[in-house]
Amino acid sequence: PDINQLIKISENTEVQQTGELVWTEPAFPTQLDDVTVFFDASQGNGALAGFTGDVYAHTGVITSASTSPTDWQQVQGNWGTADANTLMNSEGDNIYSLSYNIEDYYGINPGEIVEELAFVFRNSNGSIVGRDTDGSDIYLEIFPPNEGLLANLINPKENTIIDLGSILEVELQLSTIASVSITDNGVNVYDQTTDFVDFDLSPTELGLHTLQFAITDGTDTINIERNYFVLDPNENFENPPIGTQNGLNYGSDSTFIFQLTAPGKKHVFLLCPENNYNVDINQKLKKSEDQNTYWIELPKSIFENGKNSYQYLVDGEIVIADPFATVVLDPWNDDNVPSDVMATLPDYPTGLTSGIVTAFDLEKENFDWEDESFEKPIQTNLIIYEIMMRDFLQDKNYKSLIDTLDYLDRLGVTAIELMPISEFEGNQSWGYNPSFHMAVDKYYGSRTQLKTVINEAHKRGIAVILDVVFNHAFSQSPLCQLYWNPTDFQPSAENVYLNETPRHPFNVGYDFNHESEFTKEWVKQVLSYWIEEFHFDGFRFDLSKGLTQKFSGNNAEAMSQFDFTRVSILKDYADHIWMHSEDAYVIMEHFAVNSEEQNLSDYGMMLWGNTSFEFAEAAMGYGSSLDWADYSERDWNDPHLISYMESHDEERMAYKLQEFGNGNSEYNTKDIEIGMKRIAAASAIYFTLPGPKMLWQFGELGYDFSINRCTSGAINPDCRLDPKPVRWDYQEESNRSELYDRVAALSHLKNSYPEVFTEGDHTFYDSNSFVKSVKITHSNLNVISLANFRISNSEVNPRFHNEGTWYEYFSGQEIEVTDINATMDFGPGEYRIYTSERISPPDGFFTSVNEFNSLEGSVFPNPIQIGEQLHIQFDQ
């Protein structure tokens, strides 16, 4: 009988061969056996390669009691400790071993069946961990006792690809001595009786080859088939059609064109459901004349009926999703994606492949945009609201963000800045660990829902800015995997997109080389996509100072010095953006020397200016200089400075007030009611300084959970990236809702008179550590904002432009100025804004900052009946 139906064939068990990660002696262990497990630290992710200290196993078993293929049972080893039970023996040359009896070592319960051994390997404290090449756990198969004849085909792997004239190594491990006959496309190439086959094959024919193994020990028989391919190394080269871009191209009504730029590679195959994610010579990509680009045109029909997904197989070894994918299927994280989002996508090809897969639309989406009449607000008067989807909305979904646009509109927001929403590793993240820079991360919703957010924002006059991360990618990115050094777990020297090691001290992930022509073209295609496909109005470049090849090591000061090449790179990217939209916003998180930032500002870019510490100090009642929030103090020619009191990176002002605020027996800034007024006072100075402004989400409600809050409630810097509470209920607290009203009123003033705050002459009086004022002169309106940041009364000199009538903006109170040099008495934390014309804040804003006007009058009739008219009359 065909024993294939009766005997388990192992094709994955690792045995002791060069280049293997783990193996066992015996080669086919049962759970009853004494076993020695060997680990080659130079293989897999190579994290422990060359390590000189003790190496420990962290191990468990997958058993009949496991609930999933990764559900470890009976785990051995106390993580982070020098556990003698899991200490491995060094065999030299990066090889380590551990010997034990399987049932005794793991404490297997009676009747429990062990299916696999599970491992990772570590140093004593667990800071260095050896894993499989893709970072996953390592598994070894365990076989039932008395199974009979077992075979493990080590080489060739399925779909091995070699050039004509090359050698194919054939390796086969058997559990006992048996007769082995092997044919290659029907021609006999091997006949011996052995328990281990190891020989070289020199194929002479191009194309698909099928190796057939016939194995018998007289009792059992095993038949195995394994395909490999022989290619002509002297292939013809052909350029793709003009205009073809990297990624998927909708070539014609009936075809798709797939293109990948991968200099230095030999060959690329498209893997897809049509070929069961196996190599098919008909899906081999052509190579361009410069041998840098691979492309293929295929009929749309082969991708229909849920088959619209693919990967690339590069050089027969590297399986990647498309670096230019706009949608990916992630087998590790998609279970937590909203079901309505996944319903629009093809199913993951389970059983056919592994890893991340590219998905795509059979027909390009035709979204019904309604923003043709939208005009971007002028950048010098923007009010930007920075949002991290995860911590802003309870359901973290674009659909809810649409419902929140009216709230932002009432607040006076003129631009939303979304923290990174391109596919990043995992689901719970700030987004600065990107892996697919052109794909919308599905955790927050679909592409259509994101487009709807932008469309609806534009209908309200609100621009939408995307936070982009071009300093780095993480290891899940195909741009990393295309050229990867697994031993050092970093990009290899051949990587045309990324540096082997970072060029500066602030790098996270893997550092892009922006002097590479391939990186530049990649960045520009990504930017074009977000503008053309999603109508984004501009970009905030995360860590733009990092887009440099000048090596600064660990010297942050050296990194910040003027870098002409970096400036040229950023201007090139800005020009590309402005080619699409001449009024698009280009914002840099730069923090370099002022001369470099001024150069970029003069070119038309906006730059972040971190004044969070200074404003918080003022609000808390400590002496502070706020002059760096004023672009003119930096000698810039244009108001392109986005100074901010809060951002995603800084501690929350309300938290600092409550924890560290100054006070005395009569007045304490730690008090929440006082604290909210202090934030309003800081806002009055901040908003009236010329230039674009930025709010961090919930800052207008005095969000007071620390940036370092853990999900447990503890405060720890290690919890900086942890999810934070979503607190829309803050609107129901009077102190916080009043702060919202103040910020909205300030926005209203700034939005109502953009020419005043962009073209007016201004002076910022900041020499006093506690008393601040901004004086603006314009033919349409003169403005004076004043604040006393002491915790006691103070005299304030308003420096009125002229004698006559002035109006306090918040209260509407009218004053007659007879002496422009006369001082005014301000209580602790008091703030006022005086204007030369009466201006009414938005409806609902009528309360004085520190006092109520006392009005007498009558209300009648009283009592009143339903349907009667109520009269309110005030005495003059």
Side-chain angles (χ1 to χ4, degrees):
D2 184 355
I3 206 68
N4 274 340
Q5 305 303 315
L6 305 175
I7 301 299
K8 185 176 184 67
I9 301 174
S10 168
E11 299 187 16
N12 298 310
T13 302
E14 307 286 356
V15 297
Q16 186 175 6
Q17 294 297 320
T18 301
E20 296 298 336
L21 173 58
V22 291
W23 65 92
T24 62
E25 291 181 2
F28 300 90
T30 75
Q31 70 184 67
L32 304 178
D33 288 336
D34 295 329
V35 65
T36 299
V37 177
F38 294 89
F39 164 57
D40 185 345
S42 68
Q43 302 302 311
N45 68 359
L48 288 162
F51 184 67
T52 57
D54 288 336
V55 171
Y56 296 83
H58 189 72
T59 180
V61 287
I62 306 300
T63 74
S64 53
S66 298
T67 58
S68 75
T70 59
D71 180 23
W72 288 31
Q73 304 288 315
Q74 310 296 350
V75 175
Q76 302 299 306
N78 295 304
W79 193 268
T81 66
D83 190 334
N85 187 46
T86 58
L87 176 64
M88 303 193 76
N89 298 311
S90 175
E91 305 287 349
D93 196 25
N94 283 311
I95 307 297
Y96 297 85
S97 68
L98 183 65
S99 300
Y100 51 84
N101 178 274
I102 292 176
E103 288 198 336
D104 292 344
Y105 187 72
Y106 294 104
I108 302 302
N109 297 317
E112 192 172 9
I113 298 173
V114 178
E115 298 170 354
E116 291 179 303
L117 306 183
F119 296 93
V120 296
F121 302 91
R122 61 175 176 86
N123 64 343
S124 60
N125 66 11
S127 60
I128 307 174
V129 183
R131 298 180 181 273
D132 211 339
T133 304
D134 61 0
S136 62
D137 298 343
I138 303 162
Y139 298 93
L140 283 173
E141 191 171 1
I142 299 300
F143 301 89
N146 304 315
E147 183 79 358
L149 179 61
L150 298 171
N152 175 33
L153 180 53
I154 305 164
N155 282 314
K157 306 297 184 185
E158 187 67 41
N159 295 323
T160 293
I161 302 169
I162 63 172
D163 287 335
L164 186 66
S166 298
I167 299 299
L168 180 74
E169 184 179 15
V170 180
E171 293 179 282
L172 176 70
Q173 177 83 33
L174 301 175
S175 60
T176 186
I177 293 175
S179 173
V180 181
S181 177
I182 307 174
T183 62
D184 182 5
N185 280 354
V187 177
N188 188 271
V189 293
Y190 186 92
D191 264 312
Q192 283 192 32
T193 300
T194 182
D195 61 358
F196 189 80
V197 175
D198 185 6
F199 75 101
D200 292 337
L201 189 59
S202 301
T204 57
E205 295 181 359
L206 293 172
L208 172 65
H209 284 246
T210 301
L211 291 175
Q212 293 181 312
F213 298 77
I215 309 161
T216 181
D217 64 355
T219 302
D220 298 328
T221 298
I222 297 175
N223 295 309
I224 305 173
E225 281 193 2
R226 180 61 51 88
N227 291 331
Y228 73 96
F229 291 80
V230 180
L231 301 180
D232 185 353
N234 302 312
E235 63 180 306
N236 295 322
F237 305 128
E238 181 182 346
N239 287 332
I242 294 174
T244 304
Q245 291 188 312
N246 280 312
L248 170 71
N249 297 261
Y250 292 83
S252 69
D253 290 341
S254 60
T255 64
F256 295 121
I257 298 177
F258 301 86
Q259 179 173 296
L260 175 69
T261 295
K265 299 303 181 182
K266 293 180 180 179
H267 45 75
V268 179
F269 284 82
L270 189 81
L271 308 179
C272 61
E274 177 70 12
N275 55 40
N276 288 321
Y277 281 84
N278 288 319
V279 172
D280 186 329
I281 201 66
N282 295 314
Q283 273 87 52
K284 180 179 181 294
L285 278 66
K286 300 176 183 179
K287 186 183 289 190
S288 64
E289 291 177 0
D290 65 5
Q291 301 183 48
N292 291 332
T293 300
Y294 299 81
W295 66 279
I296 189 171
E297 187 168 14
L298 292 171
K300 288 184 176 181
S301 58
I302 69 172
F303 298 99
E304 294 174 351
N305 301 317
K307 294 182 177 181
N308 46 325
S309 62
Y310 67 97
Q311 292 173 314
Y312 292 122
L313 174 63
V314 181
D315 287 354
E317 297 179 349
I318 305 168
V319 179
I320 57 169
D322 194 329
F324 293 82
T326 59
V327 180
V328 296
L329 303 177
D330 182 338
W332 305 296
N333 295 293
D334 282 354
D335 285 348
N336 295 315
V337 170
S339 58
D340 65 319
V341 176
M342 295 306 301
T344 65
L345 304 176
D347 292 334
Y348 184 85
T350 303
L352 298 179
T353 189
S354 61
I356 294 178
V357 170
T358 304
F360 63 96
D361 298 323
L362 292 173
E363 299 295 336
K364 194 170 183 180
E365 181 185 34
N366 184 22
F367 184 80
D368 187 17
W369 289 100
E370 303 172 284
D371 61 353
E372 294 82 3
S373 61
F374 171 69
E375 295 183 7
K376 296 182 182 69
I378 59 171
Q379 69 174 24
T380 50
N381 205 53
L382 282 177
I383 299 173
I384 302 167
Y385 195 88
E386 190 186 14
I387 292 175
M388 178 167 59
M389 290 287 297
R390 186 196 69 184
D391 294 347
F392 187 56
L393 301 161
Q394 204 68 52
D395 64 1
K396 314 176 197 324
N397 197 281
Y398 293 127
K399 291 182 292 185
S400 292
L401 183 56
I402 295 169
D403 296 336
T404 310
L405 292 175
D406 288 340
Y407 168 90
L408 298 175
D409 195 19
R410 291 194 302 273
L411 185 61
V413 168
T414 57
I416 297 167
E417 183 175 296
L418 292 176
M419 281 175 61
I421 49 85
S422 62
E423 281 281 356
F424 44 78
E425 296 192 347
N427 288 325
Q428 298 286 344
S429 171
W430 279 17
Y432 294 107
N433 54 337
S435 49
F436 292 86
H437 287 70
M438 283 176 62
V440 175
D441 195 292
K442 303 182 297 297
Y443 187 62
Y444 299 141
S446 69
R447 292 164 292 162
T448 300
Q449 290 166 354
L450 176 58
K451 290 177 182 179
T452 304
V453 168
I454 299 170
N455 190 53
E456 290 297 320
H458 285 172
K459 287 161 66 175
R460 292 165 173 79
I462 299 174
V464 186
I465 299 166
L466 179 62
D467 196 339
V468 288
V469 186
F470 292 132
N471 176 78
H472 56 267
F474 273 57
S475 60
Q476 196 169 262
S477 168
L479 298 180
C480 292
Q481 296 173 13
L482 263 175
Y483 308 89
W484 189 249
N485 175 353
T487 300
D488 297 323
F489 205 74
Q490 66 185 35
S492 67
E494 295 76 27
N495 199 308
V496 299
Y497 295 98
L498 295 142
N499 294 310
E500 279 188 274
T501 55
R503 310 301 296 168
H504 60 85
F506 292 109
N507 187 74
V508 293
Y510 301 99
D511 184 32
F512 276 108
N513 174 7
H514 285 273
E515 290 185 15
S516 164
E517 61 178 297
F518 301 104
T519 299
K520 290 178 180 179
E521 288 305 309
W522 168 75
V523 169
K524 291 175 182 178
Q525 185 172 339
V526 173
L527 291 169
S528 295
Y529 173 74
W530 291 115
I531 295 172
E532 294 173 355
E533 189 68 21
F534 288 87
H535 291 203
F536 275 104
D537 301 297
F539 301 93
R540 180 259 190 191
F541 281 63
D542 176 67
L543 192 53
S544 56
K545 186 170 59 178
L547 275 59
T548 177
Q549 284 298 102
K550 183 181 289 185
F551 182 73
S552 55
N554 294 318
N555 190 331
E557 183 177 353
M559 179 192 179
S560 297
Q561 298 309 302
F562 201 109
D563 183 342
F564 288 96
T565 303
R566 175 171 60 204
V567 168
S568 176
I569 289 168
L570 295 175
K571 288 181 178 179
D572 183 36
Y573 291 155
D575 287 340
H576 180 79
I577 293 168
W578 291 327
M579 177 189 71
H580 286 278
S581 176
E582 62 183 9
D583 57 353
Y585 312 120
V586 180
I587 302 170
M588 299 293 160
E589 184 204 25
H590 209 58
F591 305 129
V593 291
N594 189 57
S595 57
E596 183 171 329
E597 296 203 347
Q598 183 180 15
N599 188 294
L600 297 173
S601 170
D602 288 346
Y603 203 69
M605 304 179 209
M606 293 182 282
L607 296 102
W608 267 27
N610 184 1
T611 51
S612 175
F613 175 83
E614 291 78 6
F615 274 99
E617 287 291 294
M620 289 188 291
Y622 303 108
S624 177
S625 174
L626 306 179
D627 62 349
W628 212 234
D630 181 3
Y631 79 96
S632 64
E633 290 291 329
R634 303 182 183 220
D635 295 324
W636 292 13
N637 297 311
D638 302 292
H640 291 164
L641 174 66
I642 306 177
S643 61
Y644 52 84
M645 300 196 300
E646 289 185 320
S647 77
H648 69 269
D649 267 333
E650 305 303 326
E651 185 59 273
R652 315 306 173 212
M653 184 183 290
Y655 174 79
K656 294 183 78 170
L657 274 160
Q658 293 178 23
E659 292 294 316
F660 313 112
N662 196 8
N664 54 43
S665 59
E666 297 179 353
Y667 183 91
N668 195 327
T669 65
K670 291 182 179 181
D671 177 82
I672 187 169
E673 180 178 359
I674 292 174
M676 295 302 109
K677 287 180 168 58
R678 302 285 298 197
I679 295 174
S683 301
I685 298 299
Y686 172 67
F687 268 82
T688 49
L689 282 169
K693 302 302 165 196
M694 187 179 76
L695 295 163
W696 167 242
Q697 62 188 32
F698 296 130
E700 72 283 1
L701 294 171
Y703 190 83
D704 48 10
F705 287 92
S706 170
I707 192 174
N708 295 320
R709 183 185 187 271
C710 308
T711 52
S712 66
I715 306 299
N716 188 317
D718 292 339
C719 298
R720 184 181 183 87
L721 304 183
D722 282 14
K724 302 299 185 285
V726 178
R727 295 303 301 268
W728 286 101
D729 59 307
Y730 276 175
Q731 297 179 85
E732 301 169 10
E733 299 180 24
S734 60
N735 295 318
R736 299 180 190 277
S737 64
E738 181 179 337
L739 175 60
Y740 174 95
D741 290 348
R742 299 296 169 192
V743 174
L746 290 164
S747 299
H748 175 75
L749 178 61
K750 191 173 177 67
N751 291 333
S752 299
Y753 292 89
E755 73 286 356
V756 172
F757 293 98
T758 57
E759 301 167 8
D761 294 328
H762 83 282
T763 304
F764 184 25
Y765 296 98
D766 185 60
S767 58
N768 186 305
S769 296
F770 293 95
V771 177
K772 313 292 181 183
S773 67
V774 179
K775 182 176 182 179
I776 301 176
T777 306
H778 191 274
S779 57
N780 292 349
L781 186 72
N782 292 329
V783 179
I784 297 173
S785 63
L786 308 161
N788 171 30
F789 289 108
R790 285 192 171 93
I791 58 171
S792 58
N793 292 346
S794 184
E795 286 191 349
V796 175
N797 184 355
R799 301 179 180 88
F800 285 106
H801 300 68
N802 53 267
E803 297 176 354
T805 306
W806 286 80
Y807 305 90
E808 205 287 308
Y809 175 58
F810 293 104
S811 66
Q813 185 179 27
E814 180 180 315
I815 65 170
E816 288 297 323
V817 175
T818 57
D819 181 359
I820 61 174
N821 295 313
T823 60
M824 308 175 79
D825 291 329
F826 272 49
E830 185 174 357
Y831 61 97
R832 305 176 195 170
I833 295 178
Y834 287 102
T835 59
S836 56
E837 303 290 337
R838 184 184 294 280
I839 304 169
S840 298
D843 291 343
F845 301 86
F846 57 83
T847 307
S848 170
V849 177
N850 288 285
E851 59 184 79
F852 293 88
N853 287 328
S854 178
L855 298 173
E856 295 184 359
S858 57
V859 178
F860 60 91
N862 184 17
I864 190 170
Q865 302 297 319
I866 294 175
E868 290 185 325
Q869 190 172 33
L870 180 67
H871 298 268
I872 304 175
Q873 179 176 304
F874 294 106
D875 298 336
Q876 296 297 317

